[in-house]
Amino acid sequence: MAIERTLSMIKPDAVAKNVIGEIYSRFEKAGLRIVAAKMQQLSVEQAAKFYEVHSERPFYQELIDFMTSGPVMIQVLEGENAIALNRELMGATFPKDAEAGSIRADFCDADGDQGENAVHGSDAAETAADEIPFFFSAEELCARLR
Ligand code: CDP
Ligand code: MG
């Protein structure tokens, strides 16, 4: 296994629930280090571009509306196997299917809008390589040397 970096977002539903710190704790307790972070209100254009891969899907407009409904907390997580580890911490896409103890199981309403699932995480090395520079310049990524 290698040290990887992955793009993580705490979505507007979880920011509104005021659980940024609790979700950060999950990352840190799992051994992931935050090497960049910022809160941002996404524009419609940014959300549309970030999720462009889903532009033909029926839920695309709803996803953009949701992702621009309030600020998101965006971070780069670093650690051994960070991409898959973060996906494991997140749980399955729909909160009703998310594994017990996962972020999506613990911070989402299983009976609510299935798209309102608290977190985003890059799903592969190639995705992380596109998604990290989408939000952060090289100078904004900090080396954690101590
Ligand atoms: O976020 P994840 O990689 O688990 O799922 P995705 O398939 O890449 O979908 C991106 C996001 O679109 C999801 O996290 C949901 O917020 C939303 N979505 C939705 O609203 N309805 C669907 N049928 C599928 C996804
Ligand atoms: Mg995805």
Side-chain angles (χ1 to χ4, degrees):
M1 271 190 286
I3 300 288
E4 294 175 335
R5 284 176 170 177
T6 190
L7 194 279
S8 159
M9 247 193 289
I10 301 179
K11 296 185 178 185
D13 58 328
V15 172
K17 286 188 180 125
N18 221 20
V19 291
I20 294 169
E22 289 187 61
I23 293 175
Y24 271 22
S25 280
R26 303 279 177 113
F27 300 149
E28 293 184 334
K29 285 190 177 121
L32 294 169
R33 298 177 293 275
I34 296 164
V35 298
K38 63 181 161 194
M39 182 177 276
Q40 200 170 306
Q41 170 65 52
L42 298 184
S43 67
V44 169
E45 292 70 26
Q46 275 178 310
K49 188 151 192 289
F50 185 78
Y51 280 115
E52 202 163 29
V53 65
H54 294 308
S55 62
E56 302 303 320
R57 309 283 292 279
F59 59 85
Y60 184 57
Q61 188 57 51
E62 202 181 318
L63 176 59
I64 292 165
D65 291 346
F66 165 50
M67 291 301 294
T68 57
S69 66
V72 294
M73 193 73 203
I74 314 164
Q75 45 284 329
V76 177
L77 307 177
E78 179 186 80
E80 280 286 335
N81 206 22
I83 298 166
L85 174 55
N86 180 44
R87 294 289 304 193
E88 198 180 309
L89 295 172
M90 289 164 59
T93 299
F94 299 137
K96 66 177 172 50
D97 304 324
E99 298 73 7
S102 67
I103 293 169
R104 283 167 166 169
D106 290 348
F107 297 108
C108 300
D109 178 2
D111 301 324
D113 183 330
Q114 62 180 10
E116 299 217 351
N117 58 3
V119 279
H120 167 84
S122 306
D123 62 5
E126 308 76 62
T127 327
D130 285 340
E131 291 181 349
I132 293 170
F134 187 92
F135 285 115
F136 295 100
S137 66
E139 303 75 58
E140 289 176 304
L141 301 169
C142 297
R144 295 281 300 264
L145 301 175
R146 55 169 290 180

